[in-house]
Amino acid sequence: MAGNDRHLAALDPNAVAIDNEYYHEVGDSWWDATGPLRALHDMNPARVAYFDATAREAFGEDRSRVRVLDIGCGGGLVSERMAALGYQVTGVDLSAGSIETARRHAAASGVTVDYQVGSAYELPKPDGAVDLVVISDVLEHLHDLPGAVAEIARVLRPGGIVVFDTINRTVASYLKAILLSEKILKIIYPGTHNWKMFIRPDELRAVFAQHGLTLTETKGLEPVAPPHKLVPATLRGRAVGPFHLTPSTAVSYIGQAVKSQES
């Protein structure tokens, strides 16, 4: 795939740039299901269902006993839904504006989430204090992936689980996530992603392993609507529509890793 790396870098001369600052400016648009982050709203039911099923399989049906840390929680789309299901949730994000939005929305919804401003590289939790780490739509934005994974491993208790969704680094992901979604359809804010920072499952497996985490599952995550229906609908201003899990991890994938019981 190295040849593909060079080829796609040539196609995208701005590939090194990534606009993480955009998330500081989103404000109340985090919760606008028809706004600039509507794709996240379309993804949310499928990914939260996966995170919930993973937690219940590992820790049992009593959600109230499970301590969850949502890293890069943004405006709280995943945190609030997990808390509404009964989990003890802490949401952490570097953006103070996003955290304030998340707090206001949770209060208005009658949902309790402990939102804190903080970094993925210095998590505000003691060693072994978390049962489930959620890091959703975040890994591909991290300039120091090993540093963040080291922190995830630190705060997880032995036997704890990290669940995630991210984007694979393939030709298909360049075409769909960058060219189509950002440049043509603009359903994702242009500059949000850097194709070079997308992560192949084997790379993620290796980084996890270096910190005592074993990748146990990956599944594809993609829109239910096929591209030939999705593109015209999106051009007419409609939502992307619901997502579902698939066998193919060629573009986006979701999964889990477990911390060694001996850690």
Side-chain angles (χ1 to χ4, degrees), residues 26 48 52 59 86 98 108 115 134 146 148 170 209 220 245 262:
V26 173
V48 169
D52 178 42
F59 308 125
S98 295
Y115 284 117
V134 175
T170 62
L245 305 187
E262 299 176 358

Side-chain angles (χ1 to χ4, degrees), residues 11-255:
L11 286 176
D12 185 2
N14 298 314
V16 174
I18 184 168
D19 188 5
N20 281 337
E21 294 302 311
Y22 170 67
Y23 293 102
H24 295 274
E25 305 166 1
V26 173
D28 289 338
S29 291
W30 275 108
W31 287 95
D32 183 356
T34 62
L37 298 176
R38 63 186 182 274
L40 298 182
H41 287 266
D42 292 333
M43 294 169 63
N44 220 39
R47 61 189 185 182
V48 169
Y50 178 83
F51 300 156
D52 178 42
T54 298
R56 287 187 291 111
E57 182 177 355
F59 308 125
E61 295 296 327
D62 186 357
R63 296 181 175 104
S64 67
R65 300 181 62 183
V66 180
R67 302 162 298 175
V68 177
L69 176 64
D70 183 9
I71 301 172
C73 65
L77 273 65
V78 173
S79 288
E80 188 171 311
R81 183 57 190 147
M82 293 291 284
L85 290 172
Y87 293 99
Q88 302 175 43
V89 181
T90 300
V92 174
D93 200 277
L94 197 60
S95 167
S98 295
I99 288 294
E100 181 56 33
T101 296
R103 286 172 177 161
R104 286 200 307 270
H105 196 277
S109 302
V111 175
T112 300
V113 182
D114 177 18
Y115 284 117
Q116 300 184 33
V117 177
S119 168
Y121 310 119
E122 192 174 348
L123 295 170
K125 287 288 183 181
D127 295 0
V130 175
D131 301 300
L132 183 76
V133 164
V134 175
I135 186 160
S136 178
D137 191 37
V138 173
L139 293 170
E140 69 273 16
H141 295 276
L142 297 172
H143 291 281
D144 180 9
L145 180 61
V149 171
E151 273 292 271
I152 289 171
R154 180 186 68 78
V155 301
L156 273 176
R157 68 164 175 83
I161 293 174
V162 53
V163 289
F164 61 86
D165 62 88
T166 190
I167 308 177
N168 202 345
R169 193 173 70 257
T170 62
V171 172
S173 72
Y174 178 84
L175 295 174
K176 291 186 178 181
I178 303 293
L179 186 61
L180 183 62
S181 297
E182 290 192 18
K183 297 181 180 296
I184 297 175
L185 298 179
K186 293 182 170 57
I187 57 174
I188 297 175
Y189 183 79
T192 297
H193 294 119
N194 169 5
W195 181 83
K196 289 185 175 181
M197 293 174 67
F198 292 173
I199 308 162
R200 295 174 181 147
D202 60 332
E203 295 169 343
L204 189 58
R205 184 187 305 275
V207 174
F208 279 163
Q210 291 169 3
H211 298 282
L213 301 172
T214 301
L215 185 63
T216 56
E217 181 176 65
T218 58
K219 296 183 177 183
L221 179 65
E222 60 186 34
V224 172
H228 72 277
K229 292 185 178 180
L230 181 64
V231 172
T234 305
L235 288 172
R236 290 195 294 270
R238 297 181 183 175
V240 175
F243 278 63
H244 65 160
L245 305 187
T246 72
S248 173
T249 61
V251 181
S252 293
Y253 61 102
I254 195 166

